[in-house]
Amino acid sequence: MVGREIPFSLAINESIRSEMRRDPNVILMGEDVAGGAGREDFVDAWGGAFATYKGLITEFGPERVRDTPISETGFIGAAVGAAATELRPVVELMFVDFVGVCLDQLMNNAAKMRYMFGGKIEMPLTVLTYCGAAGGNAAQHSQSLYSLFVHLPGLKCVAPSDAYTAKGLIISAIRDNDPVIVFIHKGILGRKAEVPEEDYTLPIGKAMVGREGADVTLVGISSMTGVCLKAAEELAKGGINAEVIDLLSLSPMDEDTILQSVQKTQRLVVVDEDTPRCSMATDIAALVADKAFDYMDAPIKRVTAPHTPVPFSSVLEKAYVPDVAKVVATVKSLWS
Amino acid sequence: MVGREIPFSLAINESIRSEMRRDPNVILMGEDVAGGAGREDFVDAWGGAFATYKGLITEFGPERVRDTPISETGFIGAAVGAAATELRPVVELMFVDFVGVCLDQLMNNAAKMRYMFGGKIEMPLTVLTYCGAAGGNAAQHSQSLYSLFVHLPGLKCVAPSDAYTAKGLIISAIRDNDPVIVFIHKGILGRKAEVPEEDYTLPIGKAMVGREGADVTLVGISSMTGVCLKAAEELAKGGINAEVIDLLSLSPMDEDTILQSVQKTQRLVVVDEDTPRCSMATDIAALVADKAFDYMDAPIKRVTAPHTPVPFSSVLEKAYVPDVAKVVATVKSLWS
Amino acid sequence: MDIEHPTLLRLYDTMVTIRTFEERFIQEFKAGKPVSMGHSSAGQEAVPAGVCAHLNQDDYVASTHRGHGHCIAKGVDPVAMMAELYGKATGSNKGKGGSMHIADVSKGMLGANGIVGSNLPLATGAALTAKVKGTRQVSVSFFGDGASNQGAFHEALNLAAIWKLPVIFVCENNLYAEATPVEYAVSVGNIADRALAYGIPGVVVDGQDAFDVYRAAGEAIERARAGGGPTLLECKTYRYYGHWTGDDDSTYRTREEVEYYRSKDCIEGFKRRVVDQGLVPLEELEEVEQKAQALIEEAVRKAEADPLPSLEELETDVYASYK
Amino acid sequence: MDIEHPTLLRLYDTMVTIRTFEERFIQEFKAGKPVSMGHSSAGQEAVPAGVCAHLNQDDYVASTHRGHGHCIAKGVDPVAMMAELYGKATGSNKGKGGSMHIADVSKGMLGANGIVGSNLPLATGAALTAKVKGTRQVSVSFFGDGASNQGAFHEALNLAAIWKLPVIFVCENNLYAEATPVEYAVSVGNIADRALAYGIPGVVVDGQDAFDVYRAAGEAIERARAGGGPTLLECKTYRYYGHWTGDDDSTYRTREEVEYYRSKDCIEGFKRRVVDQGLVPLEELEEVEQKAQALIEEAVRKAEADPLPSLEELETDVYASYK
Ligand SMILES: Cc1ncc(C[n+]2csc(CCOP(=O)(O)OP(=O)(O)O)c2C)c(N)n1
Ligand SMILES: Cc1ncc(C[n+]2csc(CCOP(=O)(O)OP(=O)(O)O)c2C)c(N)n1
Ligand SMILES: [Mg+2]
Ligand SMILES: [Mg+2]
């Protein structure tokens, strides 16, 4: 029996709804997370820029579902302050590209307060942010950027790859007592997967093996997991049996799953839409080059976006994002 | 004959002074880069928080040496706008930790305007910023963070390791037509080196070999180059002959020098004060694990700060920063 | 102040060209043509027209996500702009920028900008260039009501004020930031009153009235050129379409409200006034309209026919030099 | 409004404890003791004293780099604070924070903060907690004149205003931001006037006068508790020492100026007034002074003797849970 299928966007909605029902301290804030603020005839006008929060304000009211001004430092900083006191805020940073105007609150306050205070505070903050190149949003609305956040000690970072992992990871993020940034790829919001109606959690810090294989390990992040799975099918036709790891959690990262896989396959290709320097791709490659060096049989490869901003024109945008062809070609090069 | 020795801080001063003399479009901006702004009796009160700009306002006047309010988005954004028009601004971000309040202007404007505009603009902007743990400045005034900047296409990043490389790289940065971020480690500002009186440039994108050796390659960044050199001496006593690469330029990075070295030594240890995830250390390790895999004889190692904020207490701060002992132990582990 | 005939024609031309461009853009988008998403400024034309009529080519403008109007008013070629929206190699930005980043530095147009508030410091910096170099250039930042809640607004205005920079901060208060009404998000009645926090003049004008905008902008720009420092100019205006091409604005505002503002249309009002007062003959205005139609028609035809960028373009133009 | 005897004593106690702490800290630093660098608030004591006298333990304070005074006034143990400055395991932050990060959440003290302006949104968020939970708690952000030029100031005030949050923004205008005079960097005469940009009350008080601060803060806090929203309270004050422990302030201000402000010392002035008016007997004040001396003496003694953190502490307390 196939269970209920819902799109990624609805999984986001369900996860927040279930946590808001469960815990009155959970609130949601962001620009137009409801929309039409203050206008009685237009409650829930948008439900978020990606319509992922539809219906939340009608269920929970404007005290707990708060439209904000365009003041990311103000309201994300307020979310940090609220998390430092007794709330458990979920706050949207609409496009991850906007982190430039509010990084301080995440980097210097949310991430560090616990350590700076000698462990005497908790920071149950969840940040939902939308990332990735899709649909011609150009250089300031298409970045991945999770590598920046992973660099920062004190933050946790997760990147669900589909509706199922989204619901489980977002619920875990909200229940977590550390600041968790959830990276959501805009390009897969409409994609459906089987998702239980009830709430459930997926552990932060654990990867999933999306496909088993013995010849090469592909590590995918967010929408790249889908690319890896397709590439694996393609490779199977040529007799190459790829294992696909859906990383899911970027910080903490499930080193064991990666290392176990490469110990078996002895080959690694990391597939990452983020730009290549000081990135998740280099991070995973470096891990393996250190901890599984003796097992490796071929150079450790990375398929990433180029070291460029994201271009607008659709032909260029398409060339920018790692795709199945590039992954397949890179894997094949390991045997050449 | 030994030439003139001056401290790192004076090399900064000389490089800016020489470029301001050379080109009337060069201006300097930042908080208290002169100090006592508007008070006739107190011109040049500070010459910068690190006293690195002493005397510049008296030579060039307040029109070209501008104290700013504590508005990093405002004045760094203004520097970007000035660079986009006809000036060649040098702007100080006093502690790199403050990038949280102004990243947008660097990430989304300075780094991307040229690309977004189809190449039809130049961005001759130099940002000087002070980084690193030293003297108990704690979590918000001690970060390295260059890895964040290197991640961003469109920025160039350099990290001089001493007075000599500082002068050459800062002059190159100011003359460069792209945005260059200069990372200056606070802990080595007083350290002296031989520096020519005349101006000279060092090419952005080139590393220097600080010591030749055949057994292992140590790559150092900024103050870590000094640690590597000391570790190399230590290792030499035990018969291990280390080659030390002073990276200097983080983006672009001199891949050739690194690759040539490891092809010879077949062993690599990267020494980096920045935190370990998605960092320069992983970047260099990943490069080698890809492009020199077949040459490598041992796991690729990284000696970095831990994945924690920078602690205050002197004993903890000392334990936080990579030191000679850790480098030596890591190198030795390659033969165990 | 009387406005001379050539200026009246220029104002009309700018407004009509913008309107024609915007409506055609929306039409193309709705028709499923491969154009950029974008934010139409239709309804708000009097603001860029009235302000930019005072600017020389070497004056600067820094714009927003809703930037088509500012670009056209500052002299960017609408043909190159349309090609940009189509992502073509012939676009103003070689197809790399799209709607949110149209720029032409040779025309003093420092770019549309996708980050709300991000352009205010840029315009401030361009004004700093003018000040340091001792020219009489000025710089203009256009931004929305929503942007006035960004930290960058505050920092830029304070900086421009203490340095008396020749920059004019033009707030296009179109009553909404996305689906958020200004009266919810902005804590003060007139955004122009925020000038009080910086000791600079704050002026409110009817942004649907090109005469009014032209006059107030003229004073502010004159003051700036004369070394009198910045002005915050709030233009009350209205956007006719959704926030972006995919937005259904009926979810957050009434049709009556939209109709009310459409009845105060800046172009219609201007036309009626100059014709009624005998300032410009109707035929001349109609000629302007036809020319605009023809121009945009041609722009679309060309944009559709022009080549896409070659794939090598992906990795060029990141740096002036690298490695 | 008359101030009751216990409150007068509390005000004096707070001010004297802060002064004693600060001067001893500077003394230790100058003597080369292994203490944190830091930013002394000596001279400014009337502000935290007057404001915090109205606060309950469950009210919140978010502070700055110049935070010792706010911490003491909010009830953080000076002994733990001194140990923190010495980087000891017994410090308020286990030695991990140092001067710029002293905190004690159990006392409602959400931390000093090393990033200028960064604490205003934090305090706003604590006020949001109070609002959402429907308590009568309030939240206070202390910040400097220089911080009023940060974008975070603008965003926090606007947000607090539109949400009518129970937060009081207390600007300690000590005339300088590092070596930069306020009249150079701040574009408006009174920082309190920036309240006009948010439609909230803006009040200027003599920050050297604890009575004045106490009264004005009381009104603002009462308004906040009653749901009347935020207030911007500017206290004109002065710091006696350099910007930080290593700063020579003679490079940017005259000795006459320093002497002038020292002649209006908040502690001396308060003492004279309460004694002259017969509100508190001199002996009681002297007792307070002696207690403060003894307390700080003991704090230093303990701090010197206490153990340093063990090296395992380096990697703990980063997360509540990880992996
Ligand atoms: C820093 C930032 N936050 C949020 C957004 C998303 N966004 C794009 S336009 C917009 C509304 C802008 O409103 P306003 O400034 O009034 O300009 P208008 O769209 O009305 O012209 C928002 C929130 C953004 N682009 N940048
Ligand atoms: C964002 C940021 N920019 C710059 C600094 C460096 N800095 C530390 S204190 C200070 C001056 C602050 O002045 P003010 O707000 O008036 O407070 P005061 O020191 O006078 O108490 C500066 C510039 C910082 N800590 N954070
Ligand atoms: Mg608007
Ligand atoms: Mg001050």
Side-chain angles (χ1 to χ4, degrees):
Chain A
M1 192 202 80
V2 176
R4 181 189 67 137
E5 294 211 329
I6 61 170
F8 196 129
S9 54
L10 194 54
I12 298 169
N13 189 291
E14 279 190 3
S15 57
I16 300 171
R17 189 185 300 267
S18 107
E19 289 310 290
M20 290 189 79
R21 285 182 184 160
R22 190 170 172 270
D23 182 349
N25 286 331
V26 177
I27 64 167
L28 174 68
M29 309 205 284
E31 291 152 18
D32 293 301
V33 291
R39 299 265 170 100
E40 284 179 17
D41 297 343
F42 294 108
V43 173
D44 210 16
W46 271 26
F50 303 98
T52 40
Y53 316 117
K54 268 282 176 192
L56 296 179
I57 191 166
T58 47
E59 180 166 349
F60 303 105
E63 195 67 34
R64 292 181 64 201
V65 177
R66 292 186 165 260
D67 280 346
T68 66
I70 313 175
S71 309
E72 285 84 357
T73 288
F75 72 80
I76 294 182
V80 176
T85 45
E86 278 172 63
L87 296 182
R88 196 169 274 280
V90 179
V91 64
E92 182 190 88
L93 175 63
M94 190 190 296
F95 287 76
V96 70
D97 315 69
F98 306 162
V99 68
V101 301
C102 60
L103 177 64
D104 179 59
Q105 293 296 330
L106 296 172
M107 174 172 96
N108 286 322
N109 289 335
K112 297 185 171 55
M113 278 167 82
R114 184 177 173 82
Y115 190 82
M116 295 189 302
F117 296 2
K120 296 174 191 167
I121 195 171
E122 290 188 338
M123 186 56 62
L125 171 73
T126 300
V127 179
L128 302 179
T129 190
Y130 297 79
C131 64
N137 287 308
Q140 294 177 341
H141 287 74
S142 302
Q143 295 167 87
S144 294
L145 292 185
Y146 33 74
S147 305
L148 298 187
F149 296 79
V150 173
H151 183 63
L152 301 172
L155 300 180
K156 292 177 176 172
C157 301
V158 299
S161 59
D162 64 5
Y164 174 75
T165 51
K167 185 165 172 180
L169 285 170
I170 293 172
I171 291 180
S172 291
I174 297 173
R175 294 186 192 171
D176 200 278
N177 287 331
D178 292 311
V180 184
I181 323 285
V182 183
F183 296 88
I184 301 167
H185 197 290
K186 301 185 283 286
I188 56 175
L189 278 172
R191 211 173 286 168
K192 290 187 176 183
E194 208 176 302
V195 175
E197 309 241 10
E198 338 58 91
D199 56 0
Y200 57 94
T201 59
L202 290 176
I204 294 175
K206 285 274 162 284
M208 277 165 63
V209 176
R211 173 190 171 115
E212 298 203 0
D215 300 333
V216 59
T217 299
L218 303 180
V219 177
I221 296 170
S222 177
S223 70
M224 289 300 115
T225 296
V227 171
C228 289
L229 288 168
K230 286 208 190 102
E233 282 175 33
E234 201 56 32
L235 288 163
K237 293 179 197 159
I240 296 176
N241 204 348
E243 176 143 308
V244 176
I245 294 178
D246 184 6
L247 194 60
L248 297 178
S249 188
L250 314 184
S251 180
M253 181 165 78
D254 185 350
E255 301 189 352
D256 290 346
T257 296
I258 297 170
L259 293 172
Q260 275 160 25
S261 178
V262 297
Q263 283 168 19
K264 174 174 64 176
T265 64
Q266 311 188 336
R267 286 178 179 81
L268 173 64
V269 176
V270 185
V271 185
D272 179 10
E273 186 181 319
D274 208 346
T275 52
R277 302 290 318 276
C278 300
S279 62
M280 277 306 301
T282 66
D283 192 85
I284 297 166
L287 167 75
V288 169
D290 176 8
K291 302 252 182 84
F293 178 81
D294 290 332
Y295 293 89
M296 301 309 287
D297 244 18
I300 298 168
K301 291 287 175 187
R302 288 160 284 137
V303 181
T304 69
H307 184 66
T308 76
V310 183
F312 160 64
S313 187
S314 57
V315 283
L316 298 179
E317 187 187 75
K318 192 167 172 306
Y320 178 91
V321 179
D323 60 13
V324 173
K326 277 181 212 145
V327 176
V328 167
T330 304
V331 170
K332 288 191 174 158
S333 78
L334 298 181
W335 280 271
S336 69
Chain B
M1 193 201 81
V2 177
R4 182 189 65 138
E5 294 212 330
I6 61 170
F8 196 128
S9 54
L10 193 55
I12 298 169
N13 187 290
E14 279 191 4
S15 58
I16 300 171
R17 189 185 299 266
S18 108
E19 289 310 290
M20 289 190 78
R21 285 183 184 161
R22 191 170 171 267
D23 181 349
N25 287 331
V26 176
I27 64 166
L28 174 68
M29 309 205 284
E31 291 152 18
D32 293 300
V33 292
R39 298 263 170 101
E40 284 179 17
D41 295 344
F42 293 109
V43 172
D44 210 16
W46 271 26
F50 304 98
T52 40
Y53 317 117
K54 268 281 177 192
L56 295 179
I57 190 165
T58 47
E59 178 165 351
F60 302 105
E63 195 66 35
R64 292 180 66 201
V65 177
R66 292 185 164 260
D67 280 344
T68 66
I70 312 174
S71 310
E72 286 83 358
T73 288
F75 73 80
I76 293 183
V80 176
T85 47
E86 277 172 64
L87 296 182
R88 198 169 274 279
V90 178
V91 64
E92 182 189 90
L93 175 63
M94 190 191 296
F95 287 74
V96 71
D97 315 69
F98 306 162
V99 68
V101 302
C102 60
L103 177 65
D104 179 60
Q105 293 296 331
L106 296 172
M107 175 173 94
N108 285 321
N109 289 334
K112 296 185 171 55
M113 279 168 80
R114 183 177 173 84
Y115 190 81
M116 296 190 301
F117 296 0
K120 296 173 191 166
I121 196 171
E122 289 186 340
M123 185 57 62
L125 172 73
T126 300
V127 179
L128 302 181
T129 189
Y130 297 78
C131 64
N137 287 308
Q140 294 177 340
H141 287 74
S142 303
Q143 296 168 86
S144 294
L145 291 184
Y146 34 73
S147 304
L148 298 186
F149 295 80
V150 172
H151 183 63
L152 301 172
L155 299 180
K156 292 177 176 171
C157 302
V158 299
S161 59
D162 65 6
Y164 174 75
T165 52
K167 183 164 173 181
L169 285 170
I170 293 172
I171 291 180
S172 291
I174 296 173
R175 294 186 192 171
D176 200 279
N177 286 330
D178 293 310
V180 184
I181 322 286
V182 183
F183 296 89
I184 301 167
H185 197 293
K186 300 185 283 288
I188 55 176
L189 277 171
R191 210 172 287 170
K192 290 186 175 185
E194 208 177 304
V195 175
E197 310 242 10
E198 337 61 87
D199 57 359
Y200 58 94
T201 60
L202 289 176
I204 294 175
K206 286 275 164 280
M208 277 165 62
V209 176
R211 172 190 173 116
E212 298 202 1
D215 300 332
V216 58
T217 300
L218 302 180
V219 176
I221 296 170
S222 178
S223 69
M224 289 299 115
T225 297
V227 171
C228 290
L229 288 168
K230 285 209 192 101
E233 281 174 35
E234 200 56 32
L235 289 163
K237 294 179 196 159
I240 297 176
N241 204 349
E243 177 143 309
V244 175
I245 295 178
D246 184 6
L247 194 60
L248 297 178
S249 187
L250 315 184
S251 180
M253 181 166 77
D254 186 350
E255 301 190 353
D256 291 345
T257 295
I258 297 169
L259 293 173
Q260 275 161 25
S261 178
V262 296
Q263 282 168 18
K264 176 174 64 176
T265 63
Q266 311 189 334
R267 285 177 180 82
L268 173 64
V269 177
V270 185
V271 185
D272 179 10
E273 186 181 320
D274 208 347
T275 53
R277 304 289 318 274
C278 299
S279 63
M280 278 306 301
T282 66
D283 192 86
I284 296 166
L287 167 75
V288 169
D290 177 8
K291 302 250 181 83
F293 179 81
D294 290 332
Y295 293 89
M296 300 310 287
D297 244 17
I300 298 167
K301 292 287 175 188
R302 289 161 282 137
V303 180
T304 69
H307 184 67
T308 76
V310 183
F312 161 64
S313 186
S314 56
V315 281
L316 298 179
E317 188 188 75
K318 190 165 174 308
Y320 179 91
V321 179
D323 60 13
V324 172
K326 279 181 211 146
V327 176
V328 168
T330 305
V331 169
K332 288 192 173 159
S333 78
L334 297 180
W335 279 273
S336 70
Chain C
M1 177 179 61
D2 276 356
I3 306 180
E4 311 264 310
H5 176 267
T7 303
L8 291 173
L9 262 191
R10 176 172 172 187
L11 288 170
Y12 194 69
D13 185 25
T14 304
M15 291 195 291
V16 167
T17 305
I18 296 172
R19 177 71 55 87
T20 312
F21 185 94
E22 293 289 33
E23 305 221 297
R24 185 58 186 265
F25 160 57
I26 289 178
Q27 187 186 318
E28 299 296 297
F29 185 92
K30 295 249 150 94
K33 297 289 184 62
V35 289
S36 178
M37 62 76 77
H39 306 81
S40 158
S41 70
Q44 309 185 178
E45 294 86 348
V47 183
V51 172
C52 294
H54 296 281
L55 300 182
N56 304 318
Q57 180 157 317
D58 68 352
D59 290 323
Y60 299 110
V61 163
S63 166
T64 66
H65 58 288
R66 200 174 302 290
H68 301 166
H70 312 135
C71 290
I72 290 172
K74 191 63 177 66
V76 183
D77 178 11
V79 176
M81 288 173 60
M82 191 62 84
E84 187 62 29
L85 296 184
Y86 270 85
K88 296 303 177 74
T90 52
S92 50
N93 305 30
K94 304 205 309 206
K96 294 185 175 182
S99 170
M100 277 192 287
H101 305 296
I102 295 176
D104 185 346
V105 181
S106 73
K107 296 286 181 354
M109 173 66 214
L110 298 176
N113 203 307
I115 308 295
V116 169
S118 194
N119 69 322
L120 285 92
L122 291 183
T124 303
L128 177 62
T129 296
K131 177 129 206 268
V132 170
K133 297 183 84 78
T135 69
R136 274 178 58 88
Q137 289 159 290
V138 299
S139 175
V140 174
S141 162
F142 292 100
F143 60 97
D145 45 290
S148 81
N149 294 326
Q150 268 285 336
F153 164 92
H154 181 63
E155 297 192 8
L157 268 75
N158 184 61
L159 192 66
I162 67 164
W163 286 352
K164 274 194 171 294
L165 297 180
V167 51
I168 299 90
F169 297 103
V170 180
C171 180
E172 301 180 308
N173 180 352
N174 62 7
L175 310 188
Y176 295 88
E178 296 183 348
T180 298
V182 63
E183 72 273 11
Y184 171 80
V186 176
S187 52
V188 70
N190 287 319
I191 290 168
D193 286 345
R194 292 193 161 166
L196 294 168
Y198 315 104
I200 62 170
V203 182
V204 180
V205 301
D206 177 357
Q208 300 309 95
D209 180 347
F211 282 77
D212 212 15
V213 174
Y214 180 80
R215 243 183 307 261
E219 280 170 30
I221 290 169
E222 212 23 70
R223 179 164 48 240
R225 289 203 203 282
T231 299
L232 173 57
L233 180 62
E234 178 184 4
C235 306
K236 308 270 191 189
T237 182
Y238 201 76
R239 69 168 148 78
Y240 285 174
Y241 298 94
H243 168 67
W244 65 288
T245 29
D247 175 35
D248 171 11
D249 66 327
S250 72
T251 60
Y252 54 88
R253 56 187 195 180
T254 64
R255 293 310 88 190
E256 294 72 50
E257 184 185 293
V258 178
E259 280 323 308
Y260 169 77
Y261 284 102
R262 278 194 178 264
S263 77
K264 310 197 341 169
D265 184 67
C266 60
I267 296 178
E268 285 306 313
F270 184 92
K271 186 174 182 178
R272 213 176 305 123
R273 177 158 165 189
V274 295
V275 171
D276 288 0
Q277 299 188 357
L279 301 171
V280 185
L282 182 60
E283 308 78 68
E284 287 188 23
L285 300 178
E286 285 172 350
E287 202 181 306
V288 164
E289 293 163 19
Q290 282 147 21
K291 270 204 194 141
Q293 280 296 345
L295 174 69
I296 302 306
E297 190 62 49
E298 169 64 8
V300 171
R301 203 196 51 68
K302 231 185 134 288
E304 292 198 298
D306 281 348
L308 287 162
S310 73
L311 291 188
E312 293 88 74
E313 287 291 330
L314 176 60
E315 303 204 28
T316 61
D317 298 330
V318 185
Y319 297 92
S321 66
Y322 199 64
K323 169 131 261 197
Chain D
M1 178 180 61
D2 276 354
I3 307 178
E4 313 263 311
H5 176 267
T7 303
L8 291 173
L9 262 192
R10 176 172 173 186
L11 288 170
Y12 194 69
D13 184 26
T14 305
M15 292 195 290
V16 168
T17 306
I18 297 173
R19 176 71 54 87
T20 312
F21 185 94
E22 294 289 32
E23 305 222 299
R24 184 61 185 264
F25 160 56
I26 290 178
Q27 188 187 319
E28 298 297 296
F29 185 92
K30 295 249 151 95
K33 297 288 184 64
V35 290
S36 179
M37 62 77 78
H39 307 81
S40 158
S41 70
Q44 308 185 179
E45 294 86 350
V47 182
V51 172
C52 295
H54 296 281
L55 300 181
N56 304 317
Q57 180 157 316
D58 69 351
D59 291 322
Y60 298 110
V61 163
S63 166
T64 66
H65 58 288
R66 201 174 302 290
H68 301 166
H70 312 133
C71 290
I72 290 172
K74 192 62 179 64
V76 182
D77 177 11
V79 175
M81 288 174 60
M82 192 61 84
E84 187 62 29
L85 297 184
Y86 270 85
K88 295 302 176 75
T90 52
S92 51
N93 305 31
K94 303 205 308 206
K96 294 185 175 181
S99 170
M100 277 193 286
H101 305 294
I102 296 177
D104 185 344
V105 181
S106 73
K107 296 287 181 354
M109 175 63 215
L110 299 174
N113 204 308
I115 308 295
V116 169
S118 195
N119 69 321
L120 285 92
L122 292 182
T124 304
L128 177 62
T129 296
K131 177 129 206 268
V132 169
K133 297 184 85 77
T135 69
R136 274 177 58 87
Q137 290 160 289
V138 299
S139 175
V140 173
S141 162
F142 292 100
F143 60 97
D145 46 290
S148 82
N149 294 326
Q150 267 285 335
F153 164 91
H154 181 63
E155 298 192 8
L157 268 74
N158 184 61
L159 193 66
I162 67 164
W163 286 352
K164 273 193 174 292
L165 298 180
V167 50
I168 299 90
F169 296 104
V170 180
C171 180
E172 300 179 308
N173 180 351
N174 61 8
L175 309 187
Y176 294 88
E178 294 182 350
T180 298
V182 62
E183 72 273 12
Y184 171 82
V186 176
S187 52
V188 71
N190 287 319
I191 290 168
D193 286 345
R194 292 193 161 165
L196 295 167
Y198 316 103
I200 62 170
V203 182
V204 181
V205 302
D206 177 356
Q208 300 309 94
D209 180 347
F211 282 78
D212 211 16
V213 174
Y214 180 79
R215 241 181 310 259
E219 281 170 30
I221 290 168
E222 212 23 70
R223 181 164 47 241
R225 290 203 202 280
T231 300
L232 173 57
L233 180 62
E234 177 183 4
C235 306
K236 309 270 192 189
T237 181
Y238 201 76
R239 66 167 152 79
Y240 285 173
Y241 296 94
H243 167 67
W244 65 288
T245 29
D247 177 35
D248 170 11
D249 65 328
S250 72
T251 61
Y252 53 88
R253 56 186 194 181
T254 63
R255 292 311 87 189
E256 294 72 48
E257 184 186 292
V258 178
E259 281 320 309
Y260 170 77
Y261 284 100
R262 278 194 179 262
S263 77
K264 309 195 343 167
D265 184 66
C266 60
I267 296 177
E268 286 305 313
F270 184 92
K271 186 173 179 179
R272 214 176 305 124
R273 178 158 165 188
V274 295
V275 171
D276 287 358
Q277 300 187 356
L279 301 171
V280 186
L282 183 61
E283 308 77 70
E284 287 188 25
L285 300 178
E286 284 172 351
E287 200 181 308
V288 164
E289 292 163 19
Q290 282 147 18
K291 269 204 196 141
Q293 281 296 348
L295 175 68
I296 302 305
E297 191 61 49
E298 168 66 7
V300 170
R301 203 197 50 70
K302 230 184 136 288
E304 292 198 297
D306 282 347
L308 286 162
S310 72
L311 292 187
E312 294 87 72
E313 287 292 326
L314 176 60
E315 303 204 28
T316 60
D317 298 329
V318 185
Y319 297 92
S321 66
Y322 198 64
K323 166 137 259 192

